[in-house]
Amino acid sequence: DAGITQSPRHKVTETGTPVTLRCHQTENHRYMYWYRQDPGHGLRLIHYSYGVKDTDKGEVSDGYSVSRSKTEDFLLTLESATSSQTSVYFCAIGSSRRRSETQYFGPGTRLLVL
Amino acid sequence: EDQVTQSPEALRLQEGESSSLNCSYTVSGLRGLFWYRQDPGKGPEFLFTLYSAGEEKEKERLKATLTKKESFLHITAPKPEDSATYLCAVQPPMGDDKIIFGKGTRLHILP
């Protein structure tokens, strides 16, 4: 998994509660990404970071916030969880090769919002 | 809007029966095209990056090719352990750090 861990790996929570997912990398890569994966939609980008304290929104950012205070950690927070945020969440890190960014993925966090 | 379309959605093959998966894209000025393999319950595993039309990459029974509008993942004499979902993704031109994923092709190899 290219030195990427995610925690927790599984979580069940209730609607309206805040939830924080953690991604940790040991590769010292600049870029980090959060995706969600749902049947029929494939992988969709939530937020990404291009450096410490530098983040930007992705395709489906509403209801999510992120923080990156250290190169190795990228946190995803669901401010007030809803059932529509039940999904599998993947963190990825970006490695620049030639002109493009190859991304390597973590093992995922399976989140169920009741 | 930039799009990535993979076909077929699902494919069942007998062991040893070669075939190809397709990834077509509408991104112009492609910076890179990526292929991943994803097993159930796991994160996508990187396979290949292709940068320009005409380029080919190989790994064991897999070969990826790229044209100006599509990429193919050729699977030669597949084995049951090649069963997985194969994802294609593209990176738009310089200045955009994001990549766009297709929905994947679920491949099942029957013994």
Side-chain angles (χ1 to χ4, degrees):
Chain A
D1 290 328
I4 309 168
T5 57
Q6 293 185 232
S7 59
R9 294 293 314 279
H10 302 272
K11 186 168 182 67
V12 180
T13 191
E14 294 187 349
T15 297
T17 60
V19 176
T20 295
L21 309 183
R22 180 180 184 240
C23 177
H24 179 78
Q25 61 145 330
T26 58
E27 306 296 322
N28 199 35
H29 284 319
R30 177 184 174 194
Y31 285 83
M32 297 185 76
Y33 305 81
W34 276 108
Y35 291 87
R36 61 178 289 174
Q37 188 174 41
D38 305 286
H41 288 279
L43 280 159
R44 293 182 290 173
L45 183 65
I46 304 171
H47 282 279
Y48 68 104
S49 169
Y50 45 95
V52 173
K53 297 192 191 307
D54 292 323
T55 64
D56 204 351
K57 294 180 180 180
E59 178 187 358
V60 290
S61 59
D62 287 348
Y64 301 94
S65 62
V66 289
S67 65
R68 191 166 178 204
S69 59
K70 298 186 290 185
T71 299
E72 58 266 35
D73 290 323
F74 192 32
L75 303 180
L76 176 71
T77 297
L78 287 64
E79 293 143 10
S80 177
T82 68
S83 58
S84 64
Q85 293 176 312
T86 291
S87 186
V88 181
Y89 291 86
F90 289 102
C91 173
I93 62 176
S95 170
S96 290
R97 294 187 177 185
R98 292 173 59 177
R99 300 174 291 132
S100 68
E101 283 282 330
T102 297
Q103 295 185 13
Y104 297 90
F105 286 79
T109 294
R110 192 171 295 271
L111 176 67
L112 174 61
V113 183
L114 299 175
Chain B
E1 181 182 330
D2 295 332
Q3 283 196 325
V4 179
T5 303
Q6 292 188 245
S7 62
E9 287 187 17
L11 182 62
R12 292 166 70 92
L13 299 172
Q14 289 294 135
E15 183 173 1
E17 181 184 359
S18 302
S19 188
S20 298
L21 313 183
N22 177 262
C23 172
S24 63
Y25 57 91
T26 59
V27 174
S28 51
L30 185 73
R31 206 163 17 136
L33 183 141
F34 310 91
W35 281 99
Y36 290 86
R37 169 193 171 125
Q38 186 173 23
D39 293 300
K42 296 193 174 181
E45 174 189 346
F46 171 72
L47 292 173
F48 306 109
T49 306
L50 300 168
Y51 297 100
S52 54
E55 189 173 1
E56 298 182 352
K57 294 271 180 78
E58 284 189 69
K59 180 179 179 179
E60 297 180 355
R61 295 176 291 282
L62 301 177
K63 183 167 97 172
T65 62
L66 181 64
T67 72
K68 287 188 177 180
K69 289 296 179 187
E70 59 190 349
S71 176
F72 291 93
L73 184 65
H74 306 279
I75 303 176
T76 302
K79 298 181 178 182
E81 53 262 42
D82 294 321
S83 298
T85 296
Y86 291 86
L87 304 174
C88 171
V90 300
Q91 188 165 28
M94 209 60 80
D96 192 329
D97 300 317
K98 300 183 283 291
I99 66 175
I100 305 165
F101 280 87
K103 294 180 181 179
T105 293
R106 294 188 312 278
L107 177 66
H108 186 58
I109 309 299
L110 301 166

